Amino acid sequence: TAIATQAADTQPNAKPARPLPELRVNPPRGLVETPFRLTIEAAGQEAAIRFTTDFSEPTPQNGSEYTGPLTITNTSVVRAAAFKSGTRVSAVATHSYIFLDQVARQPQNPPGLAAGSRAWNGYPAAYGMDPRVAKDPLYRDRLKPALQSLPTLSIVCRSEDLFGPRSGLYLHAEARGETWEKPCSAELILSDGSKGFQVDCGLRMQGNST
């Protein structure tokens, strides 16, 4: 089990850093049914916006420049930030969009993730929905309502920080301490329309292999 903890300033007399302004992302994160157009704005700022869809944070050198609305047709994670003269001038916005119909068809070997029968130090990786459930006439029509009945926690960080052979948490489950904490975003998505949360935090492994 990976546990996320929000970073805190431990200096007793330290002044809290002034938070950077948020970007306007529309629509916000959530469970979606059909393709849509995504807009990103840096309200009141003349700044360049850069975005990524590979789970990494955008930087002046990483990601693509936002020039207009994005068409989202698949389950996606969009991360965006505004920059001026090479300096980030907004918080990093992280929004996960989950197409529930696609969850049932999620492939066994998604691109960019460890795969195969000995993917994780000899242990197999399995990402796809079990076809005995997803395709069974008794269950397939109940699958989407079941997914909608539960809150979704989206953990977003670099794939190599979770699954990488050199420093991935899952392949070094017994590693401990701050040096093994990985930066990530955690989003709680509620299907009833009420607001969850998004927080930038640190991720460490709790436990060993189970």
Side-chain angles (χ1 to χ4, degrees):
T1 302
I3 292 182
T5 56
Q6 185 173 5
D9 193 337
T10 58
Q11 298 297 322
N13 299 316
K15 294 182 179 180
R18 184 177 181 180
L20 292 173
E22 301 283 340
L23 295 177
R24 292 179 181 173
V25 181
N26 187 50
R29 64 188 61 84
L31 309 179
V32 292
E33 299 281 348
T34 58
F36 62 93
R37 302 267 279 176
L38 176 72
T39 61
I40 309 173
E41 297 179 358
Q45 294 194 74
E46 293 294 330
I49 297 175
R50 296 184 66 82
F51 71 94
T52 65
T53 56
D54 66 352
F55 316 125
S56 63
E57 286 193 5
T59 70
Q61 296 77 35
N62 183 48
S64 303
E65 184 177 357
Y66 175 81
T67 58
L70 307 175
T71 300
I72 306 297
T73 60
N74 298 292
T75 293
S76 303
V77 173
V78 178
R79 309 189 80 180
F83 297 88
K84 282 185 181 180
S85 302
T87 299
R88 180 162 60 85
V89 294
S90 77
V92 176
T94 302
H95 288 256
S96 297
Y97 302 97
I98 300 171
F99 287 71
L100 291 181
D101 285 335
Q102 295 175 4
V103 172
R105 304 191 302 272
Q106 183 168 301
Q108 282 283 39
N109 300 320
L113 299 181
S117 60
R118 299 180 63 81
W120 297 351
N121 285 356
Y123 293 93
Y127 303 101
M129 183 74 70
D130 192 326
R132 292 173 295 180
V133 174
K135 296 182 179 181
D136 191 309
L138 183 62
Y139 300 112
R140 64 190 179 195
D141 294 334
R142 298 161 61 186
L143 183 56
K144 186 189 294 187
L147 292 172
Q148 290 173 322
S149 72
L150 298 170
T152 297
L153 182 64
S154 177
I155 300 293
V156 179
C157 64
R158 300 187 313 162
S159 294
E160 54 262 41
D161 285 342
L162 284 182
F163 308 118
R166 298 188 62 183
S167 60
L169 291 179
Y170 276 95
L171 295 187
H172 300 83
E174 296 182 1
R176 296 290 183 265
E178 291 184 2
T179 57
W180 281 90
E181 185 169 287
K182 308 298 182 180
C184 76
S185 163
E187 299 166 84
L188 183 67
I189 299 172
L190 303 175
S191 60
D192 62 1
S194 57
K195 187 176 181 180
F197 65 78
Q198 185 278 331
V199 62
D200 294 322
C201 53
L203 193 69
R204 302 189 198 182
M205 187 64 75
Q206 172 67 31
N208 292 323
S209 63
T210 61

